[in-house]
Amino acid sequence: MKKHLLGLLFPLLLLTTAFEGPFQGDADLVIAALKSGNPAEISKHFAVVVDIKFLDAPEDKIVASEKAAQKLAAFYNDYKIKGFERTAQREIGNTMYLTGKIIGTSKKYNITLMLMKKNTSQYHIVTLRVN
């Protein structure tokens, strides 16, 4: 009985991991941009408008991607951010939640991103919070 159960579960496990591939590629692009420590690379993945918040600064809702890119670049320069470590990633439908730590010269900061995609397009960052 155990052999039959394992025989059924193993193909199921292979099928579930096989379907991660197409979606994982989009996430890898965003994660690579975060790991680069280059705000210009990260901002390429912004949606048309972004909800953005840095540390104790007031939250900026519905900011155009160009202004959000400027704020991100200023934050990265001020805190000398050099990289990213992913702690969690979860996909639900067309939404992905990504959490991790961005690495400064003397401190790490928590970062949370919400990414969305429409139909078959790539993921775009719609919310970015650093605390």
Side-chain angles (χ1 to χ4, degrees), residues 43-97:
S43 61
K44 289 179 182 178
H45 299 281
F46 281 167
V48 175
V49 292
V50 182
D51 177 8
I52 195 164
K53 182 174 184 342
F54 296 107
L55 302 176
D56 295 329
E59 180 178 8
D60 290 325
K61 291 187 178 263
I62 311 175
V63 176
S65 60
E66 295 83 17
K67 185 168 182 171
Q70 292 170 358
K71 288 181 174 264
L72 182 66
F75 178 81
Y76 267 55
N77 288 333
D78 291 346
Y79 291 90
K80 297 177 180 36
I81 304 299
K82 301 294 180 206
F84 169 77
E85 297 171 352
R86 176 178 50 186
T87 55
Q89 177 181 335
R90 184 171 188 184
E91 294 179 42
I92 302 170
N94 290 341
T95 305
M96 178 191 302
Y97 298 96

Side-chain angles (χ1 to χ4, degrees), residues 5 25 29 38 48 55 71 78 101 106-107 114 116 125:
L5 184 58
L29 294 173
N38 183 346
V48 175
L55 302 176
K71 288 181 174 264
D78 291 346
K101 296 197 179 286
S106 62
K107 191 174 179 182
M114 182 172 75
M116 297 183 83
I125 299 168

Side-chain angles (χ1 to χ4, degrees), residues 104-119:
T105 53
S106 62
K107 191 174 179 182
K108 293 181 181 180
Y109 303 92
N110 294 324
I111 186 169
T112 304
L113 299 111
M114 182 172 75
L115 300 95
M116 297 183 83
K117 69 177 176 177
K118 293 183 180 179
N119 303 326

Side-chain angles (χ1 to χ4, degrees), residues 117-130:
K117 69 177 176 177
K118 293 183 180 179
N119 303 326
T120 58
S121 68
Q122 292 185 344
Y123 279 108
H124 296 285
I125 299 168
V126 294
T127 304
L128 186 147
R129 299 184 184 286
V130 176

